[in-house]
Amino acid sequence: MTTSKRSYHITTFGCQMNKADSERMAGVLEDMGFEFAADPNQADLILYNTCTIRDNAEQKVYSYLGRQAKRKHEKPDLTLIVAGCVAQQEGEALLRRVPELDLVMGPQHANRLKDLLQQVFDGNQVVATEAVHIMEDITKPRRDSSVSAWVNVIYGCNERCTYCVVPNVRGVEQSRTPEAIRAEIEELGRQGYKEITLLGQNIDAYGRDLPGTTPEGRHLHTFTDLLYFVHDVPGIERIRFATSHPRYFTERLIRACAELPKICKHFHIPFQSGDNEVLKRMARGYTHEKYRRIIETIRTYMPDAAISADAIVGFPGETEAQFENTLKLVEDIGFDILNTAAYSPRPGTPAALWEEQISEEVKSDRLQRLNHLVAIKAAERSQRYLGRIEQVLVEEQNPKDGNQVMGRTDGNRLTFFQGDINELKGQIVNVKITEVRAFSLTGELIPVAQSVARLKVG
Ligand code: SF4
C-alpha cells in the first residue's frame, strides 16, 4: 500500500536571519518526509516565519493566518505553525487570538522543530518561547539557492537599540564555534556552493561569548579571526557578511577584508541616522563622525568598495534639522544602496512609549525626500561600472527574460546579460558592463578565451 506524502509550505517575512531559519526548518521537514508544496492552499502543514520589525509585516501574518485557520475547519489535519519574532513576542496570546494554531515557536527554537512537531502530533498545542541555549545545528537546511548559502555565525543580540525588538525576541548573543562554522562551510564547498554569507544580527560581536583571550587581552575568537579561519575553504569563491555595527567595526577587520581575496569588497553598515543627538537616543553607541571615519578607512584600503546601509527617518523627536543631517550624510558618503524605513513603533521597545512621535505625514515626506536622494546617489555610483569588466557569479535566469541570466558583481550589484542558465549557473564569468541603472547593470558576456587574452595584455 502506498501512502501519499504530507506536504508543507513556508512563508517567510523579514530579514536574512529569518530566511536562513526557514531554510533550516524546511530541511527538518524534508528530513521528516514532508514534500514542498508551492501552493499554500494545497499544503498539509503551513509555517509562517514571522517578523515584527514593521507593523505591516505583522498585520499580513494575521490576515494569512485567518484564511488558513478557516481552511482548518474543513481540513482538521492541517498543521498550523507560527515561528519567528511575532511568535516569540506574542507567545500564548497568539493561541488565544488564533485557537486553530498547533505550534507557536520563537526563533531560538528553529533547530527543535522536529521535537516540537512530535509533541503536536501527540495531540498537544505547543508554545516554545522560553530562552534556550541554541544547540549546535545538526540539521541540513533545504537551501533556496544552489549557488549561494547563508551561514549563521552568531545568534541573538546584546545591544539595546531603543527602537529594536530583536534582543527581546532573539535573546542574548550565542556564537557558534569556529570549528562548527568551518565544517558547515566545507560541506557547502563539497556540495558545489560558490558563495556564502556569514550572518549575525551584530556580526562584529562574534566571539565575545566564547572562552579565551589573547595575551593582549583581546577575545581569542573575533569576527576578524573567524574570517582568517574560514577564508580558504575549497570550492567557496566568495564570502560576504552581514550585519555590521559601526560601534564595533575595526580597522583590523577592514585590513583583513582588503587582504583576503575571497572576501567581497562590499560592506553593509547601517548608520540609522546622521544626527548625533538622534543616534544617542537610539542608543547606537557611535557618532556620525565615527561612521564617516569607518567609511574613509574602508575607501583608503579599498577605493572601489561598495557601501550599503540602513537608515530610519522620523524617529521620535527627530527635528527637520536632525533629518537634514541624515540627508547630509547620504549626500557626502554616496551609498551604493541604502535601505530606508519610516520609524514604526514596536511593542516592548522604549522608543514606542515616548511621547514625541512624529506624524505619519512628516515621516512619509521625509522618507520620500531621502529615497529621492538615495536614487540619485546610487545612479551616480553605478556610473563607475560603465565600460568596466566585472566578475559576475551567475545565480539564476532573469525571470523577466528567458534569454538572460542574472548574477552579482563582487560589490553586490545585480547584473543581467544574455546567456544560457544551464551552462552558466554557479560560474564566475567576466561581463563587460554596457548599461547602468541606479540599482542594477546590464552587460555582455566575455568568452573565456577573450578574457584570458585581456588578462595577459592587461
Ligand atoms: S544591534 Fe541594535 S538594531 Fe541591530 S539587532 Fe541589535 S538591538 Fe537591534
Side-chain angles (χ1 to χ4, degrees):
M1 193 179 80
T2 54
T3 51
S4 65
K5 277 193 168 186
R6 296 198 76 207
S7 62
Y8 75 94
H9 185 92
I10 297 182
T11 305
T12 308
F13 300 86
C15 65
Q16 290 171 322
M17 274 295 181
N18 264 15
K19 289 178 190 151
D21 286 349
S22 288
E23 289 188 349
R24 288 216 311 279
M25 292 191 284
V28 172
L29 290 170
E30 294 198 356
D31 207 43
M32 291 174 74
F34 281 84
E35 253 172 9
F36 174 70
D39 178 0
N41 293 319
Q42 300 299 323
D44 304 304
L45 180 150
I46 301 268
L47 190 155
Y48 293 112
N49 195 7
T50 59
C51 167
T52 156
I53 294 282
R54 306 217 192 299
D55 196 41
N56 55 3
E58 202 173 324
Q59 293 316 320
K60 229 188 232 172
V61 172
Y62 286 118
S63 102
Y64 288 7
L65 202 52
R67 256 176 272 155
Q68 292 300 336
K70 256 193 212 142
R71 188 159 79 93
K72 188 160 176 158
H73 290 276
E74 287 132 41
K75 180 179 161 52
D77 65 342
L78 174 66
T79 305
L80 275 183
I81 306 172
V82 175
C85 298
V86 173
Q88 183 67 36
Q89 187 159 286
E90 299 297 317
E92 297 265 353
L94 251 179
L95 286 191
R96 282 195 292 275
R97 188 164 171 172
V98 187
E100 292 84 354
L101 271 172
D102 295 290
L103 170 59
V104 174
M105 54 187 285
Q108 294 187 329
H109 294 263
N111 296 351
R112 296 183 56 224
L113 179 60
K114 188 174 179 180
D115 287 349
L116 296 171
L117 268 180
Q118 207 43 62
Q119 295 175 35
V120 169
F121 297 146
D122 289 344
N124 302 305
Q125 220 178 7
V126 182
V127 176
T129 51
E130 69 283 6
V132 287
H133 175 71
I134 297 171
M135 303 301 279
E136 186 45 52
D137 208 347
I138 44 154
T139 56
K140 272 208 202 79
R142 169 195 181 272
R143 314 242 181 210
D144 283 341
S145 160
S146 56
V147 176
S148 179
W150 287 302
V151 176
N152 285 102
V153 304
I154 175 170
Y155 303 101
C157 178
N158 288 7
E159 300 302 303
R160 282 275 174 246
C161 302
T162 50
Y163 54 83
C164 182
V165 285
V166 166
N168 301 350
V169 294
R170 285 193 177 261
V172 294
E173 290 164 3
Q174 295 187 44
S175 302
R176 297 175 66 195
T177 64
E179 291 74 21
I181 296 167
R182 188 174 164 111
E184 181 174 353
I185 301 172
E186 282 174 352
E187 179 57 27
L188 289 166
R190 279 193 290 274
Q191 289 171 11
Y193 285 87
K194 294 288 158 43
E195 178 182 273
I196 53 158
T197 303
L198 305 174
L199 283 185
Q201 298 289 351
N202 169 9
I203 205 157
D204 298 290
Y206 176 78
R208 297 203 283 212
D209 57 319
L210 294 176
T213 49
T214 64
E216 309 83 56
R218 187 166 57 71
H219 287 291
L220 196 53
H221 304 286
T222 64
F223 181 59
T224 308
D225 297 307
L226 181 69
L227 287 183
Y228 281 109
F229 187 65
V230 302
H231 86 278
D232 61 348
V233 168
I236 301 298
E237 299 190 37
R238 283 183 171 180
I239 301 177
R240 301 185 185 279
F241 56 87
T243 298
S244 302
H245 196 311
R247 186 179 202 166
Y248 304 103
F249 207 86
T250 63
E251 185 163 351
R252 187 166 167 260
L253 173 61
I254 298 173
R255 272 203 309 272
C257 295
E259 197 178 300
L260 298 172
K262 290 184 184 180
I263 311 284
C264 291
K265 309 306 177 236
H266 167 221
F267 297 85
H268 182 75
I269 316 177
F271 64 85
Q272 309 301 12
S273 167
D275 183 85
N276 287 349
E277 182 52 37
V278 175
L279 285 171
K280 202 165 165 195
R281 295 188 321 116
M282 288 175 161
R284 291 288 292 171
Y286 54 87
T287 58
H288 77 91
E289 290 89 351
K290 168 156 189 199
Y291 187 83
R292 286 168 192 264
R293 275 198 302 278
I294 293 171
I295 306 299
E296 252 167 54
T297 313
I298 291 174
R299 286 180 170 161
T300 306
Y301 282 92
M302 291 159 277
D304 193 46
I307 313 281
S308 62
D310 302 335
I312 297 171
V313 301
F315 189 69
E318 183 191 64
T319 63
E320 172 64 21
Q322 290 170 335
F323 166 65
E324 282 169 14
N325 284 336
T326 294
L327 291 179
K328 174 127 183 52
L329 186 80
V330 174
E331 176 72 46
D332 292 347
I333 288 187
F335 291 93
D336 291 85
I337 290 185
L338 181 66
N339 305 319
T340 59
Y343 169 76
S344 134
R346 307 313 299 136
T349 60
L353 301 174
W354 294 347
E355 277 171 11
E356 343 68 312
Q357 301 290 328
I358 306 289
S359 73
E360 291 305 319
E361 294 73 44
V362 172
K363 281 197 256 183
S364 105
D365 171 66
R366 288 181 187 169
L367 189 59
Q368 262 181 27
R369 284 156 64 199
L370 179 59
N371 284 344
H372 180 69
L373 179 63
V374 167
I376 293 174
K377 300 308 278 186
E380 276 173 29
R381 292 284 294 163
S382 269
Q383 284 302 324
R384 73 192 198 282
Y385 291 111
L386 193 62
R388 260 173 45 173
I389 293 172
E390 284 290 311
Q391 295 208 306
V392 175
L393 171 59
V394 181
E395 291 171 22
E396 296 292 345
Q397 194 166 56
N398 178 355
K400 292 189 188 140
D401 180 346
N403 295 322
Q404 284 193 342
V405 296
M406 60 191 216
R408 286 176 188 273
T409 65
D410 182 276
N412 213 28
R413 269 280 193 276
L414 195 56
T415 306
F416 303 94
F417 60 93
Q418 296 271 329
D420 179 355
I421 191 65
N422 298 320
E423 272 170 36
L424 296 171
K425 190 165 184 159
Q427 285 191 44
I428 295 184
V429 292
N430 286 333
V431 175
K432 177 158 183 178
I433 306 302
T434 53
E435 214 181 296
V436 299
R437 291 168 298 276
F439 303 110
S440 63
L441 310 170
T442 300
E444 284 162 9
L445 177 68
I446 298 184
V448 180
Q450 222 178 320
S451 305
V452 172
R454 248 171 225 278
L455 285 179
K456 279 185 185 151
V457 173

